[in-house]
Amino acid sequence: MYNISNEKLPTDFKNSKFVMISDMHNSFYGKNNEKVLNTIKDINPDFIVIAGDMPVANTENETINLKTAQFITDLADISDIYYGFGNHEERMMEKELLKDSWEKYYDVIKTYKGSHNIYCMNNNMLRIYKDKSFINIFGLNLELKFYQRFSNEKLEADEIIEKVGEPDKALYNIIIAHNPDYFESYVGWGADLILSGHVHGGMVRLPFIGGVISPKPRLFPHFDYGKYEKDKSIMLLSNGLGSHSIKLRINNIPEIVVIQFE
């Protein structure tokens, strides 16, 4: 569990907690992912954040992608979900061969009618209320060029403003930003809390060294897992729940992240 404090957090949010999951990539733990569902039920979060890459973006995964979409709706029976997209969701939206598969996946989510809400955070902002107070949550969805292998695409704070708007820096601002490589850009934009995934913890984790490789690919990536701080901004980087093309996780336990405000 991460305990987060910030002078901008409203008093009503003190001692509230939420869960972040990411990078499930159609991985299942028990029938219909009951182990994940039951764990999150026991945590009893005020809300749930998904930090991207729940499905796998290729033409062979349509059926199991729909099963993942159904899991997300099951998760929404616990509490509201703020679903930020990763490169796999973006690929399904961008690539012509995958658009029909995306529509079917997305239809399961958007037609959910249950106890809570599923908010798809596709370059937009919402307010999370508790009693009469609120905090802001943004969902940043980056184009595939920001994920290309061996690329060094830059992301400026002004580009983030163009996508999601400019944050009110007098308020507490969370941004769901799947790719952690742009941590300093998120800080420059004005994020108080950044929620990321994508790196899978470096797939293989070595004692005292950390993650071995990122999807770029990059050996021993600086941002691989855990908590990072700059000025008053914090990034929490999940090691994810699954893997896809190279199904490799060594010393790298799948993770449900719990965050509590102090």
Side-chain angles (χ1 to χ4, degrees):
M1 178 186 287
Y2 294 98
N3 294 305
I4 301 295
S5 60
N6 188 293
E7 60 190 11
K8 293 193 288 183
L9 276 167
T11 302
D12 290 335
F13 279 84
K14 299 296 172 68
N15 299 317
S16 62
K17 62 178 180 289
F18 69 97
V19 159
M20 172 178 65
I21 61 172
S22 75
D23 301 278
M24 195 170 89
H25 292 298
N26 295 334
S27 297
F28 282 79
Y29 301 88
K31 184 179 180 181
N32 300 323
N33 238 340
E34 62 186 4
K35 291 183 179 179
V36 175
L37 286 168
N38 289 337
T39 298
I40 294 176
K41 281 180 185 176
D42 289 344
I43 294 167
N44 190 28
D46 292 283
F47 58 94
I48 297 167
V49 169
I50 296 175
D53 277 10
M54 297 297 279
V56 175
N58 64 44
T59 55
E60 300 172 359
N61 279 271
E62 184 173 298
T63 299
I64 194 166
N65 283 345
L66 294 178
K67 189 177 177 183
T68 292
Q70 181 59 54
F71 161 72
I72 292 171
T73 65
D74 292 341
L75 203 57
D77 288 334
I78 300 172
S79 64
D80 286 350
I81 295 175
Y82 297 86
Y83 182 3
F85 296 157
N87 52 299
H88 279 254
E89 287 90 355
E90 178 62 23
R91 186 175 293 116
M92 290 173 73
M93 288 187 281
E94 278 193 32
K95 299 298 183 181
E96 199 62 40
L97 283 174
L98 296 171
K99 284 183 178 179
D100 182 63
S101 181
W102 169 255
E103 288 299 325
K104 293 175 183 176
Y105 174 87
Y106 187 57
D107 189 62
V108 173
I109 292 167
K110 73 181 181 181
T111 58
Y112 166 78
K113 304 291 183 185
S115 307
H116 299 280
N117 299 297
I118 304 173
Y119 301 107
C120 289
M121 305 299 296
N122 187 8
N123 288 332
N124 60 329
M125 183 275 281
L126 292 171
R127 289 176 172 177
I128 300 175
Y129 283 88
K130 190 161 188 184
D131 296 327
K132 295 181 180 180
S133 302
F134 66 87
I135 58 178
N136 294 331
I137 187 164
F138 297 77
L140 176 66
N141 187 21
L142 295 175
E143 298 95 329
L144 292 180
K145 66 180 182 179
F146 292 99
Y147 296 99
Q148 293 298 323
R149 292 181 179 179
F150 307 108
S151 73
N152 290 299
E153 192 76 27
K154 291 184 178 180
L155 177 68
E156 303 295 340
D158 286 346
E159 293 179 78
I160 303 175
I161 291 172
E162 288 177 9
K163 292 179 183 296
V164 302
E166 189 167 7
D168 183 341
K169 295 182 181 179
L171 302 174
Y172 190 77
N173 297 297
I174 300 172
I175 189 167
I176 310 169
H178 183 67
N179 191 341
D181 286 351
Y182 300 105
F183 173 51
E184 293 198 6
S185 299
Y186 308 145
V187 173
W189 170 78
D192 296 297
L193 180 62
I194 303 142
L195 303 173
S196 297
H198 187 54
V199 186
H200 302 181
M203 292 196 288
V204 176
R205 296 191 61 78
L206 300 178
F208 310 110
I209 294 175
V212 171
I213 191 167
S214 77
K216 265 302 192 192
R218 183 179 296 136
L219 289 173
F220 307 109
H222 179 67
F223 300 116
D224 60 348
Y225 166 73
K227 181 179 179 182
Y228 300 87
E229 298 182 65
K230 183 178 175 63
D231 300 328
K232 293 185 178 181
S233 299
I234 293 172
M235 179 170 73
L236 300 180
L237 173 52
S238 170
N239 66 14
L241 282 168
S243 55
H244 55 98
S245 301
I246 302 173
K247 295 188 179 296
L248 180 66
R249 296 182 75 100
I250 298 175
N251 294 327
N252 186 12
I253 299 170
E255 178 180 41
I256 296 169
V257 181
V258 183
I259 300 104
Q260 180 160 319
F261 292 132
E262 295 183 329

